[in-house]
Amino acid sequence: MKDLLTIADLGKDGIDEIMVTADAMAEVSARPIPKVPALRGKTVASMFFEDSTRTRTSFETAAKRLSADVLNFSASSSSVNKGESLRDTVETIEAMGVDAIIVRHRSSGAPRQVAQWAKASVLNAGDGWHAHPTQALLDAYTIRDEGRDFDGLNVAIVGDISHSRVARSNIEAFSTLGANVTLVAPPTLLPPHVEALEASVSHSLDAVLPETDVLYLLRMQHERMDQALVPSLHEYHRSFGLTPDRAKQLPASALIMHPGPMNRGIEISPEVIDDSRVRVLNQVANGVTVRMAVLYLVVGSNSGGGAL
Ligand code: NCD
């Protein structure tokens, strides 16, 4: 595998290979010194043209646990502000001798474009509304890590589906693994041609909750909205927010997940964040493990990969 751009590029076998490799990485992460020489001598560049807390630090931690060198590029303090193009920027970074480039960009398709220019492996860390494959992989790993079987698992993805690259990648990953995915949102937050997605649709969170095994909440993505798509955030919370009353309707064995960053009081009430079913920090921890697996398979496999 040279690049990781979308879940569709991976297919079920590709997802399974990453899950199994992530088990080995979880074992490494649990050691007193969670570091192995597998990618020693390799350089991983992270190029983030959009804000990030989790994804960037997670990839960086993953690369360091595999002993790769990490080169950090931040668009906001770079010559992009002087008008340098994406292609020139990528070629400049690649000329320093990098083995993988991690790209986050506000434009859908930017990582695929970079992959066509670069000889190095390209990993998509989120592009526009399009895809966020490592988020979907860490979410799938988190569910699998709880011992849940994807076959027939009822997953409800709630909120701003239309602007969410996380939703698109998670729909692909969960449905490929055999889950039943339901999108729960007001019509204004669903994308056009929603029927083309491998998911059913509901406009009522209350109707869906009792049958839900995994409740996956999304952030309201204000920065991507050019018009008011809900009457008010308070109104949204009343109809689609996970309130303490709604949490009672969810089965005791259900998992509550969120990719972060969370808007407390909008998609989830502050009181529910401490519910024992919430797996948000497990998602973060598993993000490192899964990104170690991806880096190992993509960068290590080009050169045989070092020992774990
Ligand atoms: C998401 C993203 O940036 O796509 N966050 C993340 O990577 N964990 C979701 C979001 O911004 O709401």
Side-chain angles (χ1 to χ4, degrees):
M1 171 165 67
K2 176 185 174 270
D3 308 304
L4 174 58
L5 302 175
T6 64
I7 291 293
D9 292 345
L10 282 175
K12 180 160 188 322
D13 290 348
I15 298 174
D16 286 343
E17 184 183 21
I18 292 169
M19 301 288 109
V20 171
T21 309
D23 285 336
M25 299 301 170
E27 187 270 310
V28 169
S29 296
R31 293 180 192 169
I33 299 174
K35 199 169 171 100
V36 286
L39 299 187
R40 196 159 59 191
K42 304 285 184 189
T43 301
V44 174
S46 81
M47 300 187 75
F48 278 62
F49 296 88
E50 230 191 26
D51 298 344
S52 169
T53 300
R54 270 152 286 269
T55 307
R56 184 184 188 117
T57 49
S58 178
F59 264 116
E60 184 167 344
T61 307
K64 287 179 172 167
R65 284 195 188 161
L66 295 172
S67 303
D69 293 316
V70 180
L71 190 159
N72 260 307
F73 165 90
S74 167
S76 58
S77 57
S78 74
S79 292
V80 169
N81 289 337
K82 299 179 187 168
E84 189 161 39
S85 71
L86 178 61
R87 183 169 192 157
D88 288 339
T89 307
V90 167
E91 286 177 352
T92 300
I93 296 291
E94 196 174 29
M96 295 184 194
V98 301
D99 300 284
I101 305 175
I102 299 159
V103 182
R104 169 168 286 194
H105 203 283
R106 66 188 170 283
S107 299
S108 297
R112 193 172 293 279
Q113 180 67 76
V114 172
Q116 278 158 12
W117 294 326
K119 280 185 239 21
S121 293
V122 175
L123 307 179
N124 183 0
D127 61 330
W129 305 0
H130 175 230
H132 194 351
T134 57
Q135 179 70 46
L137 291 166
L138 75 89
D139 290 329
Y141 188 77
T142 300
I143 295 169
R144 177 181 173 275
D145 202 35
E146 294 284 337
R148 307 299 165 98
D149 187 352
F150 277 96
D151 218 10
L153 190 80
N154 290 329
V155 182
I157 302 181
V158 187
D160 183 4
I161 314 284
S162 64
H163 298 96
S164 177
R165 55 193 174 210
V166 173
R168 285 179 183 72
S169 286
N170 281 17
I171 294 166
E172 279 181 354
F174 296 158
S175 61
T176 302
L177 292 170
N180 309 316
V181 181
T182 304
L183 307 177
V184 187
T188 48
L189 294 181
L190 289 167
H193 310 297
V194 67
E195 62 289 344
L197 300 172
E198 288 288 319
S200 43
V201 171
S202 168
H203 303 309
S204 166
L205 180 55
D206 292 309
V208 166
L209 282 175
E211 305 297 325
T212 296
D213 300 310
V214 175
L215 185 69
Y216 196 98
L217 303 171
L218 293 171
R219 182 173 69 87
M220 287 292 269
Q221 313 216 353
H222 314 282
E223 77 278 17
R224 302 207 169 98
M225 293 183 189
D226 49 13
Q227 51 180 313
L229 295 175
V230 289
S232 73
L233 292 176
H234 177 70
E235 194 80 7
Y236 175 82
H237 181 68
R238 277 217 338 242
S239 308
F240 293 95
L242 185 61
T243 58
D245 277 346
R246 288 210 174 92
K248 288 193 198 115
Q249 302 305 312
L250 196 60
S253 60
L255 304 176
I256 301 170
M257 299 172 65
H258 192 302
M262 281 191 285
N263 288 313
R264 289 171 185 248
I266 302 177
E267 58 264 11
I268 184 164
S269 299
E271 307 91 292
V272 182
I273 291 173
D274 296 325
D275 190 292
S276 62
R277 294 166 290 182
V278 171
R279 291 293 181 276
V280 171
L281 295 178
N282 302 58
Q283 289 171 266
V284 174
N286 289 332
V288 176
T289 305
V290 166
R291 290 181 175 114
M292 286 170 78
V294 168
L295 283 167
Y296 179 75
L297 290 170
V298 169
V299 184
S301 65
N302 297 337
S303 57
L308 289 181

